Amino acid sequence: MTKIRRYARFLSRKVVQVFTLSIAIGAVLSAVELAFAYGLQLYLQSLGLSSAQALHFPSWLPLQSEKYTLLFLFVVSILRALLLWSQTYLQGATVDHYSYTQRSRILEYVFNSDTASTNKLSALFNERIHFSSITVVGIQLFLLQATATVLLGVALCRISVPATALSVGLMSLFVLPLLLLNKKIKRTGEGLTSEWSKTNNRLMSSIKNILLLRIYGVQQREGALAQGNLKSYRDHMLRYHRTSGFSYAYPQVIAIVLLCSITLLARSWLNLPPTLLIAYFYLFLRFAQSLSSLNQATSDILLGWPQWKELYTWWANDYQSLARRRIAPEALIPLNVSEGTQNPMGWRIENISFSYPGAKHMMIERLTADIKPGSFAAIIGPSGAGKTTLISLLLGFLTPLEGQIQLEMNGSSSLLSESKHQMNRHIGYVGTDPFITEGTVLENITFGLPGPVSDADIQDAIQKSECDFIFRLPNGLEHRLTEQGQGLSAGQLQRLALTRALLRKPKALILDEATSNLDAGTEQRILQTLTQLKGEFTIVAVTHRESLLSFSDQVLKLSKE
């Protein structure tokens, strides 16, 4: 695939279509400007200020009276206004189509990727897309204005090649300042990328660790550093506005000075009649405006280019390498909690090995185990030994490089790769960091269920997960929670997550350090309850705690090489 095709795929089909339409509008706009210049000549003739011999316009224009000339100028003006409206609309449409496409890709990546950097994706989703869209709009405007500029230049040459050659030649002598300004704008764009990354990283890190910062008494210092990065970001933006404003006005000022000078020479040296000189003057002004817009577009492209390049690199590498997960038809079958918890599932792990791309060593190597249905299996090992990776392999989110995993469910055995979507409907999961949404306690514990749950089932799950504290909250099950679960302890949040998992009536319960925030007494009571229930569902628990091992039927010990 060529680079152009890759860029087109990155931009999206709609954006490419807008680019093509912009070229067409640029061509039509130049034709309208030329028609208006002809109309000016005709209007002067209709007023008796010029003779027909002094006119210079196409023979197909059937306009010889003042009335028709004014109508012609009116129609051309309306067309020009519509084209300018189209230009403005296309700029907005370009931003919307491009931003939507890129943000949609980031959302797809977040919900399908096994690993996602919060800081990086947050920056991509917001600032990178914002500034890279400036580059994309700059390209759209560049295509439109470049087309109009070239065609207006051709029209000027048709009127007078010497005058046009002299004007453009003199203007080229003043190009160096524009090149220096554009170089400065490019440095500004690079500075914006750097300063926003620093500001965003400090913000995200501080939100996650605000309690630590307060305890250590460094929140003011970190806040001052973040404010400094933000101020530097603002200064870069102000510098850009000053520079780009000057680069937009500069060509027009130079063009006026040159045009006035050439006009003085035109009548004696170039022998241009007055009416044609007026038309030339008008077209050259539009030509200069197009050049200014062209330079402005170049400034916008340079400003957002570093962030556009970063977003493109993410798309070309991370997004393109993301394995598209196709939802199997059985995955669309809704969970039916009335199925009960009969026939717990199990896994037969047969000599599997796995490593992440680019890793020097295997994360898991030649592992064999048999997690029988209805058993309690504990996974232990030091940090980085692959415990969570093994859970992802059991759930089918990762695929072994060697070996295979068999799934035992409903009395039959099949390859996990063939049954994982059906399996996931019967999995209950509790992690270290409980997933909490903004809403009531009831909405949180019934999250992911297809319909209403009986009061008896809710009471039973609350009792088993030691969540009686719910009824001591101001509004009980209707008590509203923030996304951070403000007002509840980490242990209470984990118990809410356990309640949610039990309400699914799972065939297997995955606990990934799910008791790490519980006090010893609560943990013991929950584990005793789960042990009594393990015949109804299989329990797989990742843990560092020795207390949990005494409840386990088997222990899978992973080591870190």
Side-chain angles (χ1 to χ4, degrees):
M1 182 185 299
T2 64
K3 274 193 174 182
I4 294 178
R5 289 182 62 190
R6 284 181 66 84
Y7 288 155
R9 280 189 58 199
F10 169 70
L11 292 170
S12 82
R13 179 180 298 177
K14 287 187 176 180
V15 173
V16 173
Q17 289 173 346
V18 170
F19 284 177
T20 305
L21 185 57
S22 297
I23 295 173
I25 288 178
V28 176
L29 184 60
S30 63
V32 168
E33 299 291 14
L34 183 59
F36 193 86
Y38 291 146
L40 284 177
Q41 295 182 71
L42 292 168
Y43 185 62
L44 291 175
Q45 182 201 16
S46 67
L47 294 177
L49 299 177
S50 175
S51 63
Q53 291 75 21
L55 296 179
H56 183 88
F57 60 89
S59 58
W60 50 264
L61 286 176
L63 304 171
Q64 300 297 329
S65 68
E66 180 180 352
K67 180 174 67 174
Y68 290 120
T69 301
L70 286 175
L71 179 62
F72 176 77
L73 289 174
F74 176 75
V75 171
V76 170
S77 298
I78 294 297
L79 285 175
R80 186 174 186 276
L82 289 174
L83 289 170
L84 293 177
W85 169 82
S86 299
Q87 178 181 338
T88 303
Y89 170 77
L90 286 179
Q91 288 178 353
T94 301
V95 171
D96 292 337
H97 286 312
Y98 173 78
S99 299
Y100 170 79
T101 298
Q102 304 308 330
R103 288 192 170 115
S104 177
R105 288 168 175 168
I106 291 173
L107 289 175
E108 180 186 351
Y109 183 84
V110 167
F111 287 105
N112 289 282
S113 176
D114 298 315
T115 57
S117 168
T118 303
N119 290 354
K120 179 179 179 180
L121 292 174
S122 173
L124 287 173
F125 195 82
N126 295 295
E127 199 68 6
R128 299 292 181 266
I129 288 178
H130 170 68
F131 274 98
S132 63
S133 67
I134 293 176
T135 289
V136 175
V137 170
I139 295 172
Q140 180 263 330
L141 182 61
F142 185 94
L143 293 172
L144 189 152
Q145 294 298 339
T147 304
T149 300
V150 170
L151 293 178
L152 285 172
V154 171
L156 288 171
C157 287
R158 286 181 61 84
I159 296 175
S160 176
V161 173
T164 304
L166 180 60
S167 301
V168 174
L170 291 175
M171 287 186 71
S172 66
L173 298 177
F174 298 91
V175 169
L176 181 59
L178 292 178
L179 295 177
L180 294 176
L181 288 173
N182 286 336
K183 190 174 182 180
K184 188 175 182 180
I185 288 173
K186 184 179 180 182
R187 290 198 302 269
T188 300
E190 293 169 350
L192 284 172
T193 304
S194 174
E195 293 304 326
W196 181 257
S197 293
K198 293 176 183 177
T199 304
N200 184 71
N201 289 342
R202 286 190 185 279
L203 176 64
M204 300 298 292
S205 177
S206 297
I207 290 174
K208 293 178 183 177
N209 301 286
I210 189 64
L211 186 61
L212 180 144
L213 298 179
R214 289 175 178 171
I215 292 173
Y216 287 9
V218 295
Q219 72 271 24
Q220 296 298 330
R221 186 188 70 186
E222 289 298 307
L225 290 172
Q227 291 287 354
N229 294 139
L230 189 60
K231 181 178 181 297
S232 179
Y233 175 84
R234 181 205 63 187
D235 292 342
H236 277 86
M237 281 303 304
L238 292 175
R239 192 176 303 119
Y240 162 72
H241 291 312
R242 289 194 299 268
T243 307
S244 64
F246 182 79
S247 69
Y248 178 73
Y250 175 76
Q252 297 190 56
V253 173
I254 296 303
I256 292 294
V257 172
L258 292 177
L259 187 57
C260 291
S261 302
I262 292 172
T263 302
L264 294 176
L265 301 173
R267 296 183 64 183
S268 58
W269 180 45
L270 301 173
N271 296 319
L272 290 177
T275 51
L276 190 55
L277 196 57
I278 291 174
Y280 187 87
F281 196 98
Y282 173 81
L283 288 175
F284 196 88
L285 282 178
R286 294 305 187 194
F287 177 77
Q289 287 180 343
S290 293
L291 280 178
S292 293
S293 297
L294 201 59
N295 191 63
Q296 179 66 38
T298 303
S299 298
D300 290 343
I301 292 171
L302 292 174
L303 176 70
W305 184 257
Q307 308 210 43
W308 186 92
K309 190 174 181 181
E310 184 174 332
L311 188 61
Y312 174 79
T313 301
W314 170 82
W315 173 83
N317 297 330
D318 295 3
Y319 180 78
Q320 290 295 323
S321 64
L322 177 65
R324 305 296 193 274
R325 291 187 171 89
R326 299 183 181 275
I327 300 178
E330 60 266 26
L332 301 176
I333 302 173
L335 171 67
N336 183 3
V337 294
S338 64
E339 292 178 7
T341 55
Q342 302 302 314
N343 299 319
M345 66 178 66
W347 292 267
R348 184 178 297 119
I349 305 169
E350 301 175 356
N351 202 35
I352 65 169
S353 297
F354 179 82
S355 68
Y356 290 99
K360 296 181 179 179
H361 304 288
M362 286 287 182
M363 177 66 71
I364 295 174
E365 189 169 9
R366 294 191 295 276
L367 175 66
T368 297
D370 189 6
I371 302 176
K372 297 184 179 300
S375 66
F376 193 143
I379 302 174
I380 64 173
S383 296
K387 299 186 297 297
T388 300
T389 299
L390 179 56
I391 292 294
S392 295
L393 287 165
L394 293 178
L395 295 176
F397 300 144
L398 297 176
T399 303
L401 299 180
E402 298 175 359
Q404 64 180 12
I405 301 177
Q406 293 279 340
L407 177 67
E408 297 182 13
M409 188 169 65
N410 298 328
S412 62
S413 179
S414 61
L415 284 174
L416 176 63
S417 58
E418 298 173 355
S419 308
K420 61 182 180 180
H421 294 301
Q422 183 180 8
M423 171 196 71
N424 286 337
R425 297 188 297 114
H426 302 287
I427 295 288
Y429 175 82
V430 185
T432 309
D433 187 12
F435 176 77
I436 300 296
T437 64
E438 186 174 350
T440 65
V441 170
L442 181 61
E443 289 170 343
N444 271 277
I445 63 177
T446 58
F447 180 85
L449 296 178
V453 185
S454 69
D455 291 340
D457 284 341
I458 292 175
Q459 293 286 347
D460 183 56
I462 287 175
Q463 181 182 2
K464 290 174 180 176
S465 59
E466 295 282 329
C467 270
D468 294 335
F469 69 86
I470 291 175
F471 302 110
R472 296 191 294 272
L473 296 173
N475 296 306
L477 286 169
E478 296 302 319
H479 179 74
R480 295 197 67 82
L481 300 173
T482 64
E483 290 182 1
Q484 291 78 33
Q486 191 172 3
L488 299 183
S489 68
Q492 288 173 325
L493 294 176
Q494 278 191 321
R495 281 181 275 166
L496 283 181
L498 181 58
T499 303
R500 177 167 56 212
L502 293 177
L503 278 173
R504 290 177 65 86
K505 295 187 177 180
K507 295 180 181 293
L509 179 63
I510 306 296
L511 306 175
D512 191 354
E513 297 286 0
T515 62
S516 60
N517 292 316
L518 302 181
D519 61 81
T522 301
E523 181 187 43
Q524 288 293 315
R525 291 192 298 273
I526 289 177
L527 290 175
Q528 288 173 356
T529 300
L530 292 179
T531 302
Q532 296 170 5
L533 295 172
K534 69 180 182 180
E536 298 180 9
F537 51 78
T538 306
I539 301 173
V540 179
V542 172
T543 184
H544 283 97
R545 313 221 358 203
E546 294 291 333
S547 57
L548 190 144
L549 301 182
S550 61
F551 293 91
S552 305
D553 296 317
Q554 64 175 310
V555 177
L556 304 180
K557 187 174 183 179
L558 303 181
S559 61
K560 185 176 181 181
E561 296 296 336

